[in-house]
Amino acid sequence: MGTKFDLDREVVVIIGSGAGGGTLGNELAQKGIDVVILEAGKRHETNDFINDEWPSFNQLAWLDKRTTSGT
C-alpha cells in the first residue's frame, strides 16, 4: 500500500535540489510553507561525499554533454 496524500493541500514545488533549490526549499519550510523538491540526480548519503575539492566536483557535477541549441 502506498503513502496517502491530501490532494487538496497547497504546496510549493521546486524543480532541482541544487544550491538554489535546496536553499529556497529550506527557507520556505522554516517559515512553515509546505515544500516538495523534485530532483533528477541520484541520492547521496553523508558517507558518499569526498572531502577533497576536485574529486568531489568530479563526483557531484553533471559531466555529461549538454546542449543549448534546443535540438
Side-chain angles (χ1 to χ4, degrees), residues 13-30:
V13 178
I14 299 172
I15 309 300
S17 64
T23 302
L24 177 60
N26 178 56
E27 290 293 321
L28 293 173
Q30 287 190 43

Side-chain angles (χ1 to χ4, degrees), residues 2-6 8-10 14-15 20 30-31 38 46-47 59 62-63:
T3 303
K4 295 187 184 260
F5 295 95
D6 178 1
D8 294 323
R9 188 174 179 176
E10 292 187 7
I14 299 172
I15 309 300
Q30 287 190 43
K31 290 176 176 31
L38 303 176
T46 302
N47 292 335
Q59 177 190 35
W62 275 357
L63 302 176

Side-chain angles (χ1 to χ4, degrees), residues 14-70:
I14 299 172
I15 309 300
S17 64
T23 302
L24 177 60
N26 178 56
E27 290 293 321
L28 293 173
Q30 287 190 43
K31 290 176 176 31
I33 298 170
D34 292 325
V35 178
V36 173
I37 300 177
L38 303 176
E39 174 58 53
K42 70 178 189 174
R43 180 178 177 86
H44 293 280
E45 301 294 339
T46 302
N47 292 335
D48 296 332
F49 291 96
I50 299 170
N51 193 18
D52 188 308
E53 183 179 4
W54 282 113
S56 179
F57 174 81
N58 290 327
Q59 177 190 35
L60 300 176
W62 275 357
L63 302 176
D64 55 323
K65 186 175 179 179
R66 300 288 168 166
T67 180
T68 58
S69 67

